[in-house]
Amino acid sequence: MKNKGTNIKRWIEQDGQIFLKEIGIEKGQTVLDFGCGEGHYTIPAAKVVGGKGKVYALDKDRNELEKLKKLIQQGKIKNIEVINEDSKVPLKDNSVDVVLCYDVIHYEKNRKIIYGEVYRLLKPTGFLSVYPKHHKEDSPLMELAERELNDVKKEIEECGFYLQDKFLKELLHDDYYNKGYVLNLRKRI
Ligand SMILES: C[S@@+](CC[C@H](N)C(=O)[O-])C[C@H]1O[C@@H](n2cnc3c(N)ncnc32)[C@H](O)[C@@H]1O
């Protein structure tokens, strides 16, 4: 796509940080970017949480993580830790302020395992932010085409969460900007 590089640059350097602050990420927090890919959300998150914060970037795909590692080196970024795992997260219970799960859940048949891990990891004050791509109200329609956004919300709520916020925002998908729904959920305790 023609604007590919420009979109990603603009997102990482500016719009991504604005977006992540708007959805509730703050300086000093610990964030897990679950299914981080090459880090379109990881890098802005690292900038938002700053030197006293930390971002764990987890993905099962080694190739994606190699791309992210290059960007980390180029940017001399010190507060990102890359984790190559599939679904299981090697972090302690109640240790994370925010989990991002962006454009990931459509890959997974057994999503309850992931939501269970997220529940375990989140601090009681923390939240899970999900960008469910390819559901009925979204475009392009793909793996979640038969599911409505409300089905996604119910599925996560059944795993011990409640919906706190629903945003309709412009955000980066792959290498282009699009409008999408983002759900923020907290743990029911
Ligand atoms: C479409 S990419 C989205 C990347 C990034 N979150 C973004 O929005 O730009 C989805 C990523 O999730 C990863 N992924 C999917 N299921 C996963 C799982 N169970 N454990 C770890 N990574 C997973 C894939 O390898 C892929 O890199």
Side-chain angles (χ1 to χ4, degrees), residues 91-165:
L91 296 175
K92 289 188 183 144
D93 298 1
N94 300 320
S95 62
V96 173
D97 295 296
V98 183
V99 177
L100 298 177
C101 197
Y102 278 22
D103 189 20
V104 175
I105 62 163
H106 58 284
Y107 278 89
E108 288 302 320
K109 290 236 157 25
N110 201 348
R111 293 186 279 275
K112 291 196 171 171
I113 291 181
I114 294 175
Y115 301 137
E117 264 301 76
V118 174
Y119 190 95
R120 179 185 72 74
L121 291 164
L122 274 179
K123 295 178 186 174
T125 52
F127 68 91
L128 163 65
S129 187
V130 185
Y131 172 35
K133 193 74 193 141
H134 312 298
H135 55 80
K136 227 176 211 171
E137 290 96 328
D138 194 40
S139 141
L141 282 174
M142 281 157 61
E143 294 87 345
L144 296 178
E146 84 294 355
R147 315 221 73 198
E148 293 183 0
L149 187 65
N150 202 39
D151 298 326
V152 176
K153 166 190 162 273
K154 273 195 208 152
E155 178 181 273
I156 305 174
E157 286 187 331
E158 280 165 12
C159 295
F161 295 86
Y162 67 91
L163 183 72
Q164 189 187 40
D165 280 308

Side-chain angles (χ1 to χ4, degrees), residues 33-38 40-41 58-61 64 85-87 102-104 106-108 114 172 174:
D33 188 3
F34 185 97
C36 60
E38 60 184 83
H40 293 164
Y41 288 84
L58 179 139
D59 206 289
K60 63 183 179 185
D61 185 336
E64 291 298 296
E85 284 285 348
D86 185 338
S87 303
Y102 278 22
D103 189 20
V104 175
H106 58 284
Y107 278 89
E108 288 302 320
I114 294 175
L172 195 74
D174 296 337

Side-chain angles (χ1 to χ4, degrees), residues 9-21:
K9 191 168 186 292
R10 177 154 69 95
W11 177 259
I12 285 182
E13 288 177 1
Q14 181 186 308
D15 297 342
Q17 294 174 56
I18 296 169
F19 166 83
L20 290 171
K21 283 182 194 162

